[in-house]
Amino acid sequence: MKKRTLLTITALMILFSTTLLPLKIVATINPYYLIVREIVGQEGQVDLLIGPGQNPHIFSPKISDVRKLNEADLVIANGLDLESFLESYLEDLAAQGKHVLYMGNQLPDDFLVSEDEIGEANTDLHHFNPHIWLDPVILSDYLIPVIVEKLSNIDPANSVLYKVNAEKLISELHDFDEKASSYLERFRGSIVIVAHPSFTYFFRRYGIELEPVLEGVGDEPSIGEIKELVDFVREKDVIGIFAEYQHSKRAIDILKSETAVGHGELDSLGLSMESIIELLQWNLDEMMRVFDGK
């Protein structure tokens, strides 16, 4: 009897301690790390896999990264071929029954932008522009609700907390969208030159056309292509030229020196940001500085 009682108590203690363990969540890139950390608060351990100063397109995991993925209760990845070097690891986790949430799979195809031809839809997922997190409406209406649903399914005890925190974040995103829309309305139909098409979804949201210098990863435009871009800037209604922290600035520096258009630098991943709102607002402030000629 004593032995059975001891075994029962031990089992209950193990069960009790297990339920008290916080969720372990791994976000592949910083924007989702910022979002999930705000939603779970103190009820989960959120880790970042790819630092905001690293390029996720070429990130290759170390043994410690693979261990972190294996120990996670939930992995949140962008998908759409952004984390190409992680694909096999994430597929293995999913095959083992682990929770892997691809944010790019949460959007209808007609919301996605082809990298072959900016603004045109494409049914090949490997050619979609992956930078969906920079559109505040996509975040508020599609991605965050899916994250909350997944967290609540895994950890129903804290579902109310997740929902409340998410509603606050969604409200802040709606406020940001109204502010951005109000300011950028007068630039609708204008063109911006960018180092890389990271802000495709953001500028599409507010009716601004985007002309990227670098279409792929690690490529560099030729002298002839840069000359064509210089002529393009001089002839078209270009309102700003933007470098980006994670990409080469060589071509952008030439454009800045050869034209009179205002210039700045955008950050798609958030080098030192504490929240997704801060990341979006920082970039909007930089756009406002450039567009207003400051």
Side-chain angles (χ1 to χ4, degrees):
M1 178 67 71
K2 288 183 179 180
K3 184 176 181 181
R4 183 181 300 175
T5 303
L6 181 61
L7 288 173
T8 302
I9 293 173
T10 302
L12 288 172
M13 288 177 65
I14 293 172
L15 177 63
F16 183 67
S17 64
T18 301
T19 58
L20 288 181
L21 291 175
L23 283 183
K24 288 186 178 181
I25 306 159
V26 173
T28 58
I29 60 171
N30 195 49
Y32 298 127
Y33 167 75
L34 297 175
I35 290 169
V36 176
R37 190 177 62 175
E38 192 162 345
I39 292 172
V40 304
Q42 301 299 314
E43 300 304 322
Q45 174 187 322
V46 187
D47 290 318
L48 174 63
L49 194 68
I50 306 171
Q54 298 175 282
N55 189 330
H57 293 285
I58 58 176
F59 174 82
S60 184
K62 303 187 292 290
I63 293 176
S64 59
D65 297 320
V66 175
R67 185 182 302 115
K68 188 182 295 185
L69 289 170
N70 286 329
E71 293 175 352
D73 297 302
L74 171 63
V75 177
I76 296 181
N78 188 78
L80 300 177
D81 214 29
L82 179 76
E83 309 99 337
S84 57
F85 284 80
L86 283 175
E87 284 181 359
S88 61
Y89 298 98
L90 298 179
E91 288 170 1
D92 287 345
L93 288 176
Q96 296 169 29
K98 295 271 191 174
H99 296 285
V100 180
L101 183 60
Y102 294 96
M103 304 316 300
N105 293 351
Q106 312 310 316
L107 297 179
D109 284 356
D110 58 1
F111 271 52
L112 299 172
V113 175
S114 169
E115 289 192 322
D116 296 324
E117 186 175 351
I118 296 297
E120 295 292 330
N122 189 311
T123 56
D124 184 348
L125 285 178
H126 291 287
H127 289 92
F128 283 138
N129 183 301
H131 306 90
I132 53 176
W133 65 86
L134 290 168
D135 181 333
V137 178
I138 286 178
L139 285 178
S140 64
D141 292 5
Y142 289 88
L143 304 190
I144 291 176
V146 169
I147 292 172
V148 171
E149 181 181 8
K150 190 68 173 179
L151 288 169
S152 298
N153 288 340
I154 298 173
D155 181 23
N158 287 305
S159 61
V160 173
L161 171 71
Y162 300 148
K163 183 177 180 181
V164 169
N165 289 344
E167 286 175 347
K168 177 178 179 293
L169 179 54
I170 287 171
S171 177
E172 292 173 348
L173 285 165
H174 287 165
D175 291 343
F176 172 83
D177 174 53
E178 289 182 10
K179 184 192 306 181
S181 181
S182 176
Y183 173 76
L184 293 171
E185 177 62 32
R186 61 192 169 109
F187 300 108
R188 186 172 290 272
S190 299
I191 302 170
V192 294
I193 305 291
V194 293
H196 184 75
S198 302
F199 282 79
T200 295
Y201 292 95
F202 182 92
F203 285 119
R204 183 184 66 168
R205 170 65 52 191
Y206 303 109
I208 296 173
E209 297 181 30
L210 176 146
E211 184 69 27
V213 172
L214 307 174
E215 293 284 0
V217 179
D219 58 358
E220 285 283 355
S222 66
I223 295 299
E225 289 171 331
I226 293 176
K227 183 179 183 303
E228 288 179 5
L229 274 171
V230 170
D231 293 338
F232 179 88
V233 172
R234 290 171 176 168
E235 294 169 3
K236 301 292 184 177
D237 180 23
V238 174
I239 57 174
I241 299 172
F242 294 99
E244 192 171 331
Y245 285 108
Q246 291 82 14
H247 297 280
S248 170
K249 300 174 178 59
R250 172 177 165 270
I252 293 293
D253 287 340
I254 294 173
L255 288 176
K256 283 157 45 177
S257 65
E258 294 293 329
T259 67
V261 177
H263 56 271
E265 192 160 13
L266 300 177
D267 181 3
S268 62
L269 295 172
L271 283 170
S272 58
M273 309 301 173
E274 292 297 320
S275 70
I276 192 67
I277 293 296
E278 183 183 355
L279 170 59
L280 292 170
Q281 186 62 54
W282 188 94
N283 285 290
L284 179 60
D285 288 344
E286 181 71 351
M287 293 172 199
M288 293 171 70
R289 184 189 67 77
V290 170
F291 297 160
D292 293 340
K294 295 180 180 178

